[in-house]
Amino acid sequence: MKYYHTNTNFLWGVATAANQVEGGWNEDGKGMSIADCLRYRPQIDIRDYKSVNSMDSEEIKRALRDNSTKGWAKRHGVDFYHNYREDIRQLAETGINTYRFSIAWSRIFPNGDDSKPNKAGLDYYLNLVKELAKYDIEPVVTLSHYEMPLNLVLNYDAWYDRKLISFFEKFADTVIDYLHEYVKYWIPINEIDSIIRHPFSSAGLVEDRFQNKNFSNVIYQSMHHQFVAAARVVQYCHNNYPNMKVGCMVTRTMVYPYNSDPQNVLQASKVMRDVYAFSDIQVRGKYPNFLLKQLEEKNIRLKMESTDEEDLKKGSADFVAFSYYSSVCTAYDVTGLKVTKANRTMGVYNKYLPESDWGWQIDPIGLRLSLIDLYDRYQKPLFIVENGLGAVDELASDGSVHDDYRIDYLSKHIKQMLISLTQDGIELMGYCIWGTTDMISASSNQISKRYGLIYVDLDDEGNGSYKRYKKDSFYWYKKLLSFGSEIP
Ligand code: BGP
């Protein structure tokens, strides 16, 4: 089957996040972020997403006392901060025309509540987008990708404090103004639904700081503040830079029932609705009734200001961006059923699908189903901003990395995407492979869970030369992006 570039302005790219690649954790005025408190903890079962990504106050104090990078993987990342020109030059060789990255909030406002921005931080990102412009690569910028200034945790209640809305607005508006000549596509908050999965690493919520409150209440109230903040960014762009497009961004998994037992089908439908709630609010501009009902049943009363409803309505996203890695299978009663070792959902094992080294079940058709579902629900342009395979890669003595399993994963997902584009009547802006160079995994703080098209010589303890080596998947993507090539 021959596949070409779908059309001239289709965005073929790669994606990453500041806290997972940059390093330079305390350089040029950058303040400490929540990501700088996360350690690789081999003793913890990485399937337990929450414990890997949650911190208690004692652990944060320990992080504050330790100025080293040893064991603090996200403090060194893969040193993209100093290598960005060479990394971008190499990635440009593949023929990509878009590159998604995030801005480390604490590089711009070191404490989050500073009166003035850190110019060195602003200039770093201005130089980055200028480097991309050299190769005609379109930036897609995520403003918040798990990089909140730690001070907002220590001296405020993180996103639970409504002041975070104005702090985030100030950060967003400052960056948008500074980069507006180079950046057209913006994503305010990465996987805004991840606050439910890992409230600390995504929203700075430390459970033991809310002793006298129902933590579930805290999470949902913080979620509301993030929705209002994201909606304000949409309005800022629309009011000041009409050519800009602002997308919402959610974690997308297809949820299948374990079998055709209506009880299991109903369970899958309920879990799927929870997936939709976050994009519903940001696209439709209001809370869906089913979520309001759920909050009522949980006795969670959100505190809203009179302007919030208007903000959400005016802040409807221009496009729906999402990450897609795997589908999940669910059952009304999982007793006796085999569960996956995945750390994202702990779903029931789907015997029809293979699984990755980390137990994420590999389902290319699930990507097509997601495209159909999301487009039919919102009738807005879609954007796959993350799709990739975290795997154990081996660096051969000759510097090659034969990651045919990643090529297999990517080619099957891209094939389903292109079939959907040609047969399902969807609107799709682009596709970004998650993984530029290898990076530090969000959920396990490991580099050994490798995603990159370029291998980085580094291990989970931070030992290595940081040298880069192109994997077979790098050359494969280059071949794919050259016009007229069949998907190999
Ligand atoms: C998404 C995040 C990314 C990335 C990806 C892969 O949730 O937006 O930051 O990390 O997941 O997951 P992981 O790194 O946990 O393997």
Side-chain angles (χ1 to χ4, degrees), residues 20 145 190-191 325 344 360 386 434 441-443 449 451:
Q20 295 177 253
H145 198 135
N190 177 71
E191 293 189 340
Y325 292 92
R344 296 265 277 217
W360 293 13
E386 292 181 24
W434 179 254
S441 152
S443 57
K449 186 176 186 186
Y451 278 96

Side-chain angles (χ1 to χ4, degrees), residues 14 20 40 287 319 340 357 363 460 476:
V14 290
Q20 295 177 253
Y40 167 51
Y287 279 70
F319 60 90
T340 65
D357 299 329
D363 179 10
D460 286 334
W476 171 83

Side-chain angles (χ1 to χ4, degrees), residues 68 196 293 336 341 421:
S68 79
I196 305 290
K293 200 87 197 103
K341 60 180 193 234
L421 205 51

